[in-house]
Amino acid sequence: MYYVSTRDRLQKTTVSGAIAYGLAPGGGLYTPEAVPSLAGNALNTLKNMTYQQRAVYLMNMYLDSYSASELTSFCSKAYGGGKFDDPAVAPVRRVDDTTYALELWHGPTCAFKDMALQMLPHLLTAALRKEGEEKTACILVATSGDTGKGALEGFRDVPGTRILVFYPRDGVSAIQELQMNTQEGANVGVCSVVGNFDDAQTGVKRIFSDPALKEELAKRGYFLSSANSINWGRVLPQIVYYVSAYCDLMKEGALEKGDKLNVCVPTGNFGDILAAYYAKQMGVPLGRLICASNSNNVLTDFIQTGVYDRNRPFYNTISPSMDILISSNLERLLHAYTFGNAEQVKGYMEQLNSTGRYQVSDEVKKKLDKDFAAAFCDDEAAKAAIGNMWREKQYLIDPHTAVAVDALEQYRAKTGDAAPALVVSTASPFKFCPAVMEALGGKEPAHGLDSIQQLSDLTGIAAPAPLTGLAGKRIRFDQTVEKEQMVAAVREMLR
Ligand SMILES: *Cc1c(COP(=O)(O)O)cnc(C)c1O
């Protein structure tokens, strides 16, 4: 199976090429030339498998340059060995008769990034071997919180890799900062940057385009690579949990094979909901894909009007992982909806680059209307959703999940579509204690690690071990640099 660039149909590569090098020449995203279909009885077969077995079966359909035994080993390393605190890995919880939550935060960093970032290092190092790349991959990440910690945990002590994370000194939560600064592993480095997320991100981009550094690192046996969600190796592991959730609901009798299941996804970079789209294309009977945004509602407007317009104010919200105005993975959906018309997709992306805005054709808009719906909510509504869910269902959710809960409610009220729905739950509420405390109408929220205990005391729910365990951890990284010094910091960390 070939992977083709969204912006240039002549740029084709194998899946290992796509994963090893991430971005296609010319800036397009590698996308499967054709989405494979599940055989008629596949869901029944998958139903009786473990999560790891399902992952092997499904990823194998896309990874033809990998052997089944490689995949078996990767899946057991990524999802086995007690790394996830629930044997189901991605368990489905019943919320009410027609609403289910897919909990994707049982991994080592308590956010859904683990689902892909526990797998990516295995896929990537094997891809580099297959491509004959002998240098050590130095993964650079600029993070506003969840991705940095997820990548550090995923790549720690993975042979043939180094991982360096830059985060904005004043732009992450106290808990996220502790998670990163106490990171263990011999191949990891963490550094904060004076400024906001954009400063860190711009600095990382500058490092990637520094020819002198590139040459120096090559001499020392390194090349720079990225772990962000434009890499196919991050989208693919996310397809698995949608198929898996459908199978779990069949298994417990909540769905008959063929029943429609709507899906509501809290969305930022459009990676998670894109994986749901691929699962649907493969033949999982998913109904409407509901895209949930916070006040940065560029995607809601796009899905409703066909106009993508990033010229708007940026808001810092209580769901920071969705505070994003350029959703990179949307490009892969446009590729699908234009039948791979690279000129058309490239045109949209060039308009986005130059004017911050583009409008899709009527044909694309019609397809959007068929598969997707969208709604957004602000912080107040998200907090209300957390409070209501706790009081009415004794189910504790984080602010990102709350946005999806609110969006699903809006969708149901507006359309009357009462089909069963799966809400994707993307983070443990204990990663965002102060906002959750406020939502529950508790006391004045405590700070840092104290806030974890406070939320636990209020709700009677034990916080995940990776978060309570932070208390006893040694701070290994406390370096802060100006953004102009980031190149020097990379040299230093690779010493
Ligand atoms: C990254 C993230 C999201 C958004 O996912 P995308 O794939 O970027 O759309 C939502 N919630 C949480 C907690 C996240 O970390």
Side-chain angles (χ1 to χ4, degrees):
M1 180 203 279
Y2 280 101
Y3 283 67
V4 53
S5 164
T6 48
R7 298 190 200 176
D8 180 354
R9 75 181 84 226
L10 299 178
Q11 294 291 345
K12 272 192 195 183
T13 183
T14 58
V15 70
S16 43
I19 292 172
Y21 300 111
L23 211 59
L29 308 189
Y30 285 121
T31 301
E33 213 166 25
V35 175
S37 297
L38 287 165
N41 59 354
L43 291 176
N44 277 324
T45 308
L46 286 159
K47 197 174 75 173
N48 298 314
M49 293 183 181
T50 63
Y51 190 85
Q52 283 149 252
Q53 291 167 330
R54 289 171 182 169
V56 173
Y57 183 107
L58 295 163
M59 296 207 315
N60 190 42
M61 296 173 74
Y62 288 87
L63 292 169
D64 50 8
S65 41
Y66 293 65
S67 70
S69 71
E70 275 180 305
L71 292 183
T72 305
S73 147
F74 298 167
C75 289
S76 91
K77 284 182 196 149
Y79 303 125
K83 281 203 163 164
F84 284 70
D85 71 8
D86 190 305
V89 181
V92 177
R93 300 259 182 266
R94 181 182 174 283
V95 177
D96 62 36
D97 284 347
T98 54
T99 311
Y100 303 87
L102 172 59
E103 294 182 350
L104 300 179
W105 40 263
H106 289 277
T109 79
C110 309
F112 101 97
K113 302 294 191 289
D114 288 331
M115 300 304 300
L117 284 168
Q118 284 295 312
M119 178 57 69
L120 178 68
H122 304 294
L123 296 177
L124 180 70
T125 49
L128 294 173
R129 254 194 330 271
K130 291 172 201 295
E131 296 294 307
E133 178 63 66
E134 282 165 355
K135 294 200 267 305
T136 296
C138 175
I139 316 287
L140 279 189
V141 178
T143 182
S144 60
D146 290 336
T147 302
K149 178 61 183 178
L152 285 165
E153 260 319 303
F155 279 95
R156 86 187 240 197
D157 293 328
V158 172
T161 69
R162 297 291 303 258
I163 163 94
L164 306 179
V165 170
F166 290 97
Y167 70 88
R169 189 179 58 181
D170 304 315
V172 300
S173 79
I175 291 168
Q176 288 172 321
E177 181 165 37
L178 253 184
Q179 279 188 300
M180 291 189 276
N181 285 345
T182 57
Q183 178 65 44
E184 290 161 4
N187 65 337
V188 305
V190 176
C191 183
S192 67
V193 180
V194 179
N196 59 24
F197 173 65
D198 275 339
D199 295 315
Q201 168 106 318
T202 311
V204 163
K205 284 189 184 152
R206 208 176 300 139
I207 295 169
F208 274 111
S209 57
D210 184 323
L213 181 70
K214 186 175 175 184
E215 195 178 317
E216 180 190 330
L217 293 183
K219 279 198 200 123
R220 291 166 53 190
Y222 292 110
F223 76 100
L224 296 175
S225 181
S226 141
N228 69 23
S229 73
I230 52 166
N231 192 309
W232 178 251
R234 272 193 63 183
V235 178
L236 176 58
Q238 301 183 164
I239 298 174
V240 174
Y241 49 72
Y242 290 102
V243 187
S244 178
Y246 195 92
C247 290
D248 283 346
L249 289 170
M250 276 169 53
K251 197 168 177 177
E252 68 179 61
L255 293 177
E256 295 285 332
K257 192 180 162 202
D259 284 352
K260 191 175 87 165
L261 176 68
N262 291 335
V263 170
C264 187
V265 187
T267 303
N269 216 4
F270 210 77
D272 202 356
I273 196 167
L274 179 77
Y277 170 79
Y278 286 128
K280 185 175 174 179
Q281 292 306 105
M282 289 173 76
V284 182
L286 300 182
R288 191 67 62 181
L289 310 177
I290 304 156
C291 174
S293 300
N294 62 26
S295 295
N296 297 297
N297 59 353
V298 61
L299 282 167
T300 313
D301 287 349
F302 172 69
I303 288 166
Q304 286 171 358
T305 66
V307 176
Y308 195 98
D309 190 352
R310 63 158 299 198
N311 304 305
R312 59 179 70 217
F314 176 88
Y315 300 102
N316 284 310
T317 72
I318 59 169
S319 44
S321 301
M322 299 157 69
D323 291 344
I324 190 161
L325 291 179
I326 299 190
S327 303
S328 316
N329 267 303
L330 188 57
E331 186 169 342
R332 287 192 164 106
L333 185 72
L334 297 174
H335 171 85
Y337 280 173
T338 59
F339 300 104
N341 185 333
E343 284 306 309
Q344 195 176 342
V345 173
K346 193 172 165 204
Y348 293 149
M349 292 304 119
E350 281 172 357
Q351 285 175 47
L352 181 62
N353 225 345
S354 56
T355 68
R357 180 185 189 279
Y358 62 89
Q359 175 161 20
V360 294
S361 67
D362 289 347
E363 295 82 74
V364 171
K365 177 68 172 66
K366 272 195 205 113
K367 290 186 183 152
L368 265 178
D369 290 341
K370 237 175 112 236
D371 287 321
F372 286 85
F376 77 99
C377 78
D378 63 12
D379 282 354
E380 287 318 305
K383 282 185 202 165
I386 295 172
N388 290 338
M389 187 63 93
W390 176 246
R391 280 186 299 274
E392 292 163 17
K393 312 270 164 50
Q394 285 72 57
Y395 185 52
L396 191 63
I397 55 174
D398 95 290
H400 302 77
T401 309
V403 169
V405 165
D406 183 275
L408 176 63
E409 216 164 87
Q410 291 184 49
Y411 168 79
R412 283 175 163 165
K414 187 169 150 194
T415 62
D417 181 350
L422 185 72
V423 171
V424 177
S425 177
T426 48
S428 159
F430 288 93
K431 272 194 110 161
F432 303 95
C433 297
V436 175
M437 280 299 291
E438 268 177 43
L440 299 186
K443 301 173 255 183
E444 180 70 18
H447 293 289
L449 291 178
D450 292 344
S451 67
I452 296 179
Q453 190 55 47
Q454 189 189 35
L455 184 58
S456 233
D457 290 344
L458 183 76
T459 58
I461 296 175
L467 298 181
T468 53
L470 286 171
K473 289 244 162 101
R474 184 170 69 85
I475 304 270
R476 293 186 64 204
F477 303 100
D478 60 1
Q479 192 192 0
T480 301
V481 297
E482 298 288 336
K483 62 175 185 274
E484 293 76 19
Q485 298 163 349
M486 286 171 65
V487 171
V490 169
R491 286 204 178 91
E492 182 79 12
M493 285 194 276
L494 290 177
R495 198 125 282 156

